[in-house]
Amino acid sequence: MRNDKSTLEEFALDRAFTFFECGPVMLIATRLNGRDNVMTASCHASMGFEPTVGVMLGEWNYSYRALVKTGECVIAAPAVDLMKKTVAIGNCSGSDIDKFKAFHLTPVKAKYVKAPLIGECLKNLECVVEKKIAINGSYLFVLRGVAAWHNPHRKERRVFHANGDGTFTIDGRTIDLKSDMTKWQDCI
Amino acid sequence: MRNDKSTLEEFALDRAFTFFECGPVMLIATRLNGRDNVMTASCHASMGFEPTVGVMLGEWNYSYRALVKTGECVIAAPAVDLMKKTVAIGNCSGSDIDKFKAFHLTPVKAKYVKAPLIGECLKNLECVVEKKIAINGSYLFVLRGVAAWHNPHRKERRVFHANGDGTFTIDGRTIDLKSDMTKWQDCI
């Protein structure tokens, strides 16, 4: 694991809820028994400004055991240049291969959790598991962020979204409606 | 409330999980004591293929009472042409105004629930509340879809995403990676 965070800078924790609200495809990194793993996740929601994020996982996910046993993970946002790789990560299991090695991802030492930051991602949030709630045969993991990182040097800043049918939509134009958000001036 | 669903067609319920997975800004319609209301929501997650969707609400939301009292709602996806209106809907309360009237939205009679479909939206899902779970001072409403509708006639099909800072990102290009989804052929 790399100690040098050269490309990553710490990001204000109370603004890290902005990492998830747009619903991008995310990567979840875990570390169990000294072995890193990463999975792809598109079923998640911002749940609070702490920040809190809820992520759906099943017992069939290899990362499930790491999350339950360690109570920690890193949730990270890949940009569009990692789209094909992110989809490929979601199509194999950490029970069969070392995904950090296979996909040439750089595990970077986090500040508070043992799970690694992902060096190539745009945004990384170190998380601890607050709750695990059974929902229709899957589990909602409620994660509280404890440290946030971003890479302000990357040119490619567009994220991408899973449509659920094997197609993915890349971010287009961003529209500034801050002046319309009369009720939410504290958030902008 | 309009009975005529002319622009809306029923959509396969077991494919309606695709309405949410990309994380678009949604509208939630409710009906309490014969009065319709609508709110804006961007903190939600697809939670299952039933379909199940989880949405965060606070007791401060006027719609909270309707959801708790009736156990029903409609969750709908507006396209980009409704972006300014959707943001404005999120900046006022149903306790002060009749939002369907104020924003010229068309309430259309749903099949199973008393809450109205929103005639102008791209997609509508009739939902019943399965669970309400307290999370850090807010509530996660776990909603199960019971009937789905879409408007296949609309030309504008791009949705939009809240970045959490008063800016919104419009869908750009859609990339077909179906052949890469080797593990998820049942879903595509």
mmCIF file of all heavy atoms in Angstrom, chain B residues 1 30-37 70 98 114 116:
data_model
loop_
_atom_site.group_PDB
_atom_site.id
_atom_site.type_symbol
_atom_site.label_atom_id
_atom_site.label_comp_id
_atom_site.label_asym_id
_atom_site.label_seq_id
_atom_site.Cartn_x
_atom_site.Cartn_y
_atom_site.Cartn_z
ATOM 1 N N MET B 1 -58.815 15.789 -10.624
ATOM 2 C CA MET B 1 -57.807 14.830 -11.103
ATOM 3 C C MET B 1 -58.247 14.258 -12.449
ATOM 4 O O MET B 1 -59.421 13.938 -12.613
ATOM 5 C CB MET B 1 -57.618 13.710 -10.074
ATOM 6 C CG MET B 1 -56.326 12.956 -10.317
ATOM 7 S SD MET B 1 -55.960 11.607 -9.161
ATOM 8 C CE MET B 1 -55.883 12.421 -7.589
ATOM 9 N N THR B 30 -48.124 12.995 -3.237
ATOM 10 C CA THR B 30 -48.931 12.374 -2.184
ATOM 11 C C THR B 30 -50.343 12.956 -2.238
ATOM 12 O O THR B 30 -50.577 13.988 -2.900
ATOM 13 C CB THR B 30 -48.332 12.642 -0.783
ATOM 14 O OG1 THR B 30 -48.055 14.051 -0.672
ATOM 15 C CG2 THR B 30 -47.054 11.866 -0.545
ATOM 16 N N ARG B 31 -51.277 12.319 -1.540
ATOM 17 C CA ARG B 31 -52.636 12.853 -1.440
ATOM 18 C C ARG B 31 -53.142 12.586 -0.020
ATOM 19 O O ARG B 31 -53.190 11.442 0.413
ATOM 20 C CB ARG B 31 -53.548 12.173 -2.465
ATOM 21 C CG ARG B 31 -54.973 12.742 -2.498
ATOM 22 C CD ARG B 31 -55.768 12.097 -3.649
ATOM 23 N NE ARG B 31 -57.123 12.578 -3.687
ATOM 24 C CZ ARG B 31 -57.515 13.678 -4.348
ATOM 25 N NH1 ARG B 31 -56.636 14.400 -5.005
ATOM 26 N NH2 ARG B 31 -58.785 14.056 -4.331
ATOM 27 N N LEU B 32 -53.464 13.654 0.679
ATOM 28 C CA LEU B 32 -53.948 13.528 2.060
ATOM 29 C C LEU B 32 -55.198 14.389 2.211
ATOM 30 O O LEU B 32 -55.196 15.566 1.819
ATOM 31 C CB LEU B 32 -52.857 13.990 3.041
ATOM 32 C CG LEU B 32 -53.200 13.911 4.538
ATOM 33 C CD1 LEU B 32 -53.429 12.462 4.981
ATOM 34 C CD2 LEU B 32 -52.064 14.531 5.376
ATOM 35 N N ASN B 33 -56.249 13.793 2.755
ATOM 36 C CA ASN B 33 -57.522 14.505 2.957
ATOM 37 C C ASN B 33 -58.003 15.185 1.668
ATOM 38 O O ASN B 33 -58.394 16.352 1.676
ATOM 39 C CB ASN B 33 -57.385 15.549 4.072
ATOM 40 C CG ASN B 33 -56.953 14.909 5.391
ATOM 41 O OD1 ASN B 33 -57.276 13.743 5.651
ATOM 42 N ND2 ASN B 33 -56.211 15.658 6.202
ATOM 43 N N GLY B 34 -57.883 14.468 0.554
ATOM 44 C CA GLY B 34 -58.399 14.976 -0.721
ATOM 45 C C GLY B 34 -57.553 16.053 -1.373
ATOM 46 O O GLY B 34 -57.964 16.660 -2.362
ATOM 47 N N ARG B 35 -56.353 16.281 -0.838
ATOM 48 C CA ARG B 35 -55.500 17.337 -1.387
ATOM 49 C C ARG B 35 -54.172 16.753 -1.854
ATOM 50 O O ARG B 35 -53.488 16.065 -1.109
ATOM 51 C CB ARG B 35 -55.271 18.396 -0.285
ATOM 52 C CG ARG B 35 -54.602 19.643 -0.766
ATOM 53 C CD ARG B 35 -54.801 20.796 0.221
ATOM 54 N NE ARG B 35 -53.889 21.873 -0.111
ATOM 55 C CZ ARG B 35 -52.644 21.972 0.366
ATOM 56 N NH1 ARG B 35 -52.172 21.082 1.199
ATOM 57 N NH2 ARG B 35 -51.880 22.994 -0.002
ATOM 58 N N ASP B 36 -53.820 17.052 -3.110
ATOM 59 C CA ASP B 36 -52.561 16.552 -3.677
ATOM 60 C C ASP B 36 -51.395 17.437 -3.253
ATOM 61 O O ASP B 36 -51.557 18.637 -3.058
ATOM 62 C CB ASP B 36 -52.628 16.564 -5.215
ATOM 63 C CG ASP B 36 -53.707 15.642 -5.753
ATOM 64 O OD1 ASP B 36 -53.934 14.591 -5.140
ATOM 65 O OD2 ASP B 36 -54.336 16.000 -6.767
ATOM 66 N N ASN B 37 -50.226 16.831 -3.162
ATOM 67 C CA ASN B 37 -49.021 17.618 -2.908
ATOM 68 C C ASN B 37 -47.849 16.956 -3.645
ATOM 69 O O ASN B 37 -47.911 15.794 -4.043
ATOM 70 C CB ASN B 37 -48.733 17.722 -1.405
ATOM 71 C CG ASN B 37 -47.616 18.702 -1.121
ATOM 72 O OD1 ASN B 37 -47.473 19.719 -1.799
ATOM 73 N ND2 ASN B 37 -46.791 18.395 -0.134
ATOM 74 N N THR B 70 -51.045 7.846 4.994
ATOM 75 C CA THR B 70 -51.676 7.080 3.909
ATOM 76 C C THR B 70 -50.872 5.842 3.526
ATOM 77 O O THR B 70 -51.426 4.905 2.946
ATOM 78 C CB THR B 70 -51.839 7.938 2.628
ATOM 79 O OG1 THR B 70 -50.541 8.258 2.105
ATOM 80 C CG2 THR B 70 -52.587 9.239 2.928
ATOM 81 N N ASP B 98 -50.835 25.209 -2.958
ATOM 82 C CA ASP B 98 -51.213 24.023 -3.719
ATOM 83 C C ASP B 98 -50.217 23.925 -4.864
ATOM 84 O O ASP B 98 -50.309 24.638 -5.863
ATOM 85 C CB ASP B 98 -52.647 24.178 -4.251
ATOM 86 C CG ASP B 98 -53.084 22.977 -5.092
ATOM 87 O OD1 ASP B 98 -52.208 22.289 -5.664
ATOM 88 O OD2 ASP B 98 -54.299 22.755 -5.182
ATOM 89 N N LYS B 114 -53.969 6.323 -4.063
ATOM 90 C CA LYS B 114 -54.768 7.553 -4.168
ATOM 91 C C LYS B 114 -53.918 8.747 -4.587
ATOM 92 O O LYS B 114 -54.432 9.719 -5.134
ATOM 93 C CB LYS B 114 -55.467 7.829 -2.832
ATOM 94 C CG LYS B 114 -56.572 6.802 -2.535
ATOM 95 C CD LYS B 114 -57.586 7.349 -1.538
ATOM 96 C CE LYS B 114 -58.723 6.361 -1.316
ATOM 97 N NZ LYS B 114 -58.289 5.126 -0.608
ATOM 98 N N PRO B 116 -51.604 11.015 -6.883
ATOM 99 C CA PRO B 116 -51.702 11.128 -8.338
ATOM 100 C C PRO B 116 -50.393 10.841 -9.063
ATOM 101 O O PRO B 116 -49.318 11.111 -8.543
ATOM 102 C CB PRO B 116 -52.060 12.608 -8.529
ATOM 103 C CG PRO B 116 -51.382 13.292 -7.376
ATOM 104 C CD PRO B 116 -51.440 12.327 -6.212
#
